[in-house]
């Protein structure tokens, strides 16, 4: 009798697996928040490409220069959004990543420059930039762990902890370095590894995709990823079943700090210098990319694919507006509208399924 | 009476002189409770009697303020969920303890994923086992996709998933805190029968319920609680539903 029930489920599963690929794809789009974003992304791309073909002189979307710029500038936000997204799935926020991005990049450049890692030095050191990077990544990860400690030890909302941390890191950057820009022109092979190009694809884009793959396996296929979802989705249930929420969140905070640092270093390598205020606003942009990509603000829901599409969609829109020579505030208005629309869509999808 | 460091070896679990305080409030007051081999204990009492506190204490997520715990006659510290898991205890919680945003399979294996040695999950194997156990404990109406998010299930279906999970991982003791509150009549019958079958296979259960008829169907011994202490205890052959009802209402 009992096996009858299992057979019934098996039959239903087999039945679903037999659907044509097109149907599976349609169901995936309907059932997943990132499905809707995927459609929006494709629609935005299609529209931009059509207009680019129709008016190649006025709207230079398909010009090689534009494609190169897009593939260069997408990575820093994407890398930061990966860390922020994983932390959001685990049920916490990090508002300090933008400030940390500038602070740690300056740490990296200062260490590297002091160890003669600048290409302009007479006896330039090849390892110095790597040492600078390692120190900065250590500082960033440690900062994440400190955010976790304060949040969890005193049981306060991470929104508050990291709001405070944002101001502290921002002030710390000015205290430590001052408001002037810092030169960062690292020696080879660092410069090529993080600032080179393969065809039109910038190295930073490759690093972004590598980390997408790493975090895809971590989040969707490793048990730690399962714990992120469990702790973010229902903390009490996770405790009742024997998952340690504190340990899980420490790791998530550390990842957010690490990725913010990596993002800062990658951006600094591309630009060749660091503006102490350069990362401000990026924390909200990365949270926006995550929310547009279908991550739930209260945790437990989201995917790497969603973060990727969310970031890509934000950038497509920014690029289109730049090409139309629209003033910068249009971009903010567009992203603001999209956040609200994305959350309305995801909520509607969820309600329709229930 | 056994010494202070040794419990009865016939008992799977014994809590002796257990007290649990929340600030100045005493939720459990010098309570003695045990679970023998091959028995189903009915834990009864009105709301606020301390039943759920006792269940959470046995399952390790709410350790006692003072008192001793013995597992198989040996004094044991059970202060976390991993301690109770090591002692072979599984719990079906009143508030179900599932994550709505995760699939049925992921909920069943939450914290106990089937992985390779690097910690990567074997999705296929977990889904296979999930399908097996979904068919075993309760006849769940309408679940046909182990990948479905738990948030989209009905109350009864959720409870069935929680039951299936606990039943799969239990070894010695299964604690059921109000397990039938969201189940249909047919599903309830099936679950109670299953608890009886488990006893034959050597797993003892504690059934917390308000429904004395359910308790009388499957339990061998009854413990009635009130205000954090035991007020009545009797085996099935020494008592009647009327007497039990009387103790639950009167105290």
């Amino acid at each position: 009798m009992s096996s009858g029930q299992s057979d019934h489920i098996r039959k239903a599963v087999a039945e679903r697996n037999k659907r044509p690929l097109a149907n599976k794809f349609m169901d995936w789009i309907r059932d997943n928040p990132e499905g809707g974003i995927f459609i929006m992304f494709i629609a935005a791309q299609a529209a931009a490409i059509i207009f680019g073909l129709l008016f190649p002189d006025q709207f230079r979307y398909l010009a090689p220069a534009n494609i190169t710029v897009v593939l260069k500038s997408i990575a820093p936000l994407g890398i930061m959004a990966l860390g922020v997204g994983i932390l959001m799935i685990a049920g916490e926020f990090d508002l300090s990543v933008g400030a940390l991005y500038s602070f740690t990049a300056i740490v990296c450049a200062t260490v590297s420059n002091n160890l003669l890692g600048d290409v302009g030095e007479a006896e330039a050191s090849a390892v110095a930039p790597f040492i600078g990077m390692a120190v900065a990544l250590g500082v960033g990860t440690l900062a994440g762990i400190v955010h976790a400690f304060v949040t969890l030890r005193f049981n306060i909302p991470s929104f508050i902890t990291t709001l405070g941390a944002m101001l502290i890191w921002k002030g710390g950057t000015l205290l430590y370095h001052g408001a002037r820009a810092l030169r960062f022109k690292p020696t080879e092979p660092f410069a090529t590894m993080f600032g080179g190009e393969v065809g039109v694809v910038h190295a930073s884009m490759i690093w972004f995709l590598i980390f997408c793959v790493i975090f895809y396996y971590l989040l969707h296929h490793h048990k730690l990823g399962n714990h992120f979802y469990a702790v973010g989705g229902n903390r009490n249930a996770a405790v009742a079943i024997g998952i340690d929420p504190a340990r899980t969140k420490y790791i998530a905070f550390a990842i957010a700090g690490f990725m913010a640092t990596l993002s800062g270093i990658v951006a600094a390598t591309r630009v060749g210098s660091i503006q102490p205020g350069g990362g401000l606003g990026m924390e909200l942009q990365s949270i926006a990319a995550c929310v547009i990509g279908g991550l739930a603000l209260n945790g437990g829901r989201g995917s790497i694919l969603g973060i990727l599409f969310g970031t890509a969609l934000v950038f497509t829109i920014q690029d289109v507006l730049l090409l139309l020579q629209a003033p910068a505030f249009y971009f903010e208005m567009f992203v603001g509208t999209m956040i609200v629309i994305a959350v309305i869509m995801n909520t509607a999808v969820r309600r329709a399924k229930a | 009476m056994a010494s202070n460091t040794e419990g009865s070896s016939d008992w799977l679990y014994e809590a002796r002189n257990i007290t649990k305080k929340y600030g100045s409030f005493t939720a459990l007051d010098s309570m003695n409770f045990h679970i023998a081999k091959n028995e189903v204990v009915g834990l009864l009492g009105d709301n606020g009697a301390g039943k759920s506190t006792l269940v959470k204490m046995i399952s390790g997520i709410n350790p006692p303020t003072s008192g001793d715990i013995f597992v198989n006659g040996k004094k044991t510290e059970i202060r976390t969920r991993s301690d109770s898991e090591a002692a072979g205890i599984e719990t079906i919680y009143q508030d179900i303890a599932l994550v709505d945003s995760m699939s049925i399979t992921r909920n069943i294996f939450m914290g106990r994923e089937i992985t390779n040695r690097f910690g990567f999950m074997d999705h296929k194997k977990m889904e296979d086992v999930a399908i097996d156990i979904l068919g075993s404990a309760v006849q769940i109406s309408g679940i046909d996709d182990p990948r479905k998010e738990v948030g989209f299930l009905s109350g009864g279906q959720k409870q069935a998933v929680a039951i299936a999970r606990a039943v799969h991982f239990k070894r010695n003791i299964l604690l059921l805190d109000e397990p039938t509150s969201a189940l249909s009549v047919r599903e309830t019958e099936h679950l109670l029968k299953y608890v009886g079958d488990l006893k034959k296979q050597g797993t003892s259960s504690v059934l917390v319920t308000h429904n004395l008829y359910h308790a009388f169907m499957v339990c061998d011994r009854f413990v009635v609680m009130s205000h954090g202490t035991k007020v009545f205890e009797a085996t099935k052959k020494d008592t009647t539903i009327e007497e039990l009802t009387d103790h639950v209402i009167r105290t």
Side-chain angles (χ1 to χ4, degrees), chain A residues 264-328:
Chain A
I265 294 171
V266 160
T269 311
R270 178 167 77 80
V271 178
S273 74
I274 301 154
Q275 300 292 336
L280 297 180
M282 275 183 75
E283 61 284 327
L284 293 179
Q285 274 181 35
S286 55
I287 289 175
C290 289
V291 170
I292 289 169
L295 275 74
L297 271 180
N298 43 9
R301 210 180 277 279
S303 68
I304 295 298
L305 208 56
I307 300 173
L308 181 63
F309 283 139
T311 313
L313 188 57
V314 167
F315 257 93
T316 306
I317 287 174
Q318 187 177 27
D319 183 43
V320 166
L321 291 173
L322 278 174
L323 288 173
L324 293 173
Q325 294 170 347

Side-chain angles (χ1 to χ4, degrees), chain A residues 199-221:
Chain A
V200 290
V201 186
H202 192 256
S204 63
M205 189 69 193
I206 296 172
W207 283 106
F208 175 41
L209 293 177
I210 288 174
F211 273 93
C212 279
V213 172
I214 292 175
F215 282 131
Y216 170 79
Y217 277 99
L218 178 77
L219 196 59
H220 299 295
H221 293 288

Side-chain angles (χ1 to χ4, degrees), chain A residues 71-73 75-76 79 108 112 126-134 137 184-198 201-208 210-211 258-259 261-272:
Chain A
L71 290 176
K72 256 185 199 170
S73 47
I79 291 172
C108 171
S112 169
V127 287
F130 291 99
I131 296 173
M133 184 180 192
L137 287 172
F184 184 55
K185 297 233 186 266
T187 46
E188 297 292 348
F190 191 96
T192 304
M193 277 179 68
F194 294 93
E197 271 164 17
V198 181
V201 186
H202 192 256
S204 63
M205 189 69 193
I206 296 172
W207 283 106
F208 175 41
I210 288 174
F211 273 93
F258 180 94
M259 294 305 279
T261 306
L262 186 68
S263 152
I265 294 171
V266 160
T269 311
R270 178 167 77 80
V271 178

Side-chain angles (χ1 to χ4, degrees), chain A residues 6-348:
Chain A
S6 298
D7 290 343
H8 166 72
I9 300 174
R10 274 209 182 87
K11 215 177 288 167
V13 170
E15 207 55 43
R16 265 191 304 279
N17 284 341
K18 265 189 286 183
R19 287 168 307 169
L21 208 59
N23 286 14
K24 277 188 191 170
F25 182 65
M26 287 314 290
D27 285 351
W28 177 81
I29 286 185
R30 227 186 17 240
D31 289 352
N32 288 284
E34 59 265 36
I37 294 311
F38 177 70
I39 294 293
M40 274 169 78
F41 176 69
I42 294 294
Q45 285 296 343
I49 288 171
I50 288 170
F51 277 98
L53 289 172
L54 288 178
F55 310 103
D57 293 328
Q58 293 92 334
F59 187 66
R60 305 173 142 272
Y61 189 74
L62 295 172
N66 180 53
I67 294 173
T68 315
V69 165
V70 168
L71 290 176
K72 256 185 199 170
S73 47
I74 198 167
L77 182 66
I79 291 172
M80 182 181 277
L82 282 175
V84 168
I86 283 180
L87 184 59
M88 253 169 89
I89 289 170
E92 302 287 348
F93 281 111
D94 194 340
L95 293 177
S96 71
V97 283
L100 202 56
Y101 161 102
S102 303
F103 181 79
T104 50
I106 285 177
V107 169
C108 171
T110 308
V111 171
S112 169
N113 292 350
N114 281 336
L115 293 173
L116 309 179
D118 193 284
V119 278
E121 296 285 344
E123 288 173 46
S125 155
V127 287
F130 291 99
I131 296 173
M133 184 180 192
V135 171
L137 287 172
V139 169
T141 309
L142 195 67
I145 291 171
V146 171
H147 301 159
F149 173 78
V150 174
T151 305
L152 300 169
R153 173 68 182 75
F154 302 104
N155 202 13
I156 60 175
S158 52
F159 189 90
I160 299 298
T161 316
T162 56
L163 179 66
M166 172 175 95
L167 298 171
I168 292 170
W169 292 120
K170 188 173 144 191
T173 308
L174 296 174
L175 178 73
Y176 167 67
H177 177 72
R180 75 210 132 77
L182 176 61
R183 176 184 156 99
F184 184 55
K185 297 233 186 266
T187 46
E188 297 292 348
F190 191 96
T192 304
M193 277 179 68
F194 294 93
E197 271 164 17
V198 181
V200 290
V201 186
H202 192 256
S204 63
M205 189 69 193
I206 296 172
W207 283 106
F208 175 41
L209 293 177
I210 288 174
F211 273 93
C212 279
V213 172
I214 292 175
F215 282 131
Y216 170 79
Y217 277 99
L218 178 77
L219 196 59
H220 299 295
H221 293 288
H222 195 272
K223 64 178 178 186
L224 183 61
N226 216 33
H227 296 181
F228 287 145
Y229 283 107
V231 169
N234 185 346
R235 192 184 167 280
N236 292 338
V239 173
I241 221 71
I243 296 172
D244 182 355
R247 180 178 163 272
T248 312
K249 287 184 176 182
Y250 265 104
I251 296 173
F253 271 107
I255 288 175
F258 180 94
M259 294 305 279
T261 306
L262 186 68
S263 152
I265 294 171
V266 160
T269 311
R270 178 167 77 80
V271 178
S273 74
I274 301 154
Q275 300 292 336
L280 297 180
M282 275 183 75
E283 61 284 327
L284 293 179
Q285 274 181 35
S286 55
I287 289 175
C290 289
V291 170
I292 289 169
L295 275 74
L297 271 180
N298 43 9
R301 210 180 277 279
S303 68
I304 295 298
L305 208 56
I307 300 173
L308 181 63
F309 283 139
T311 313
L313 188 57
V314 167
F315 257 93
T316 306
I317 287 174
Q318 187 177 27
D319 183 43
V320 166
L321 291 173
L322 278 174
L323 288 173
L324 293 173
Q325 294 170 347
F329 55 80
Y330 274 93
F331 169 64
E332 289 172 348
M333 288 167 66
F334 257 96
V335 171
T337 314
M338 266 177 36
I339 293 174
V340 178
I341 291 175
V343 173
I344 291 174
M345 264 175 46
N346 292 343
T347 311

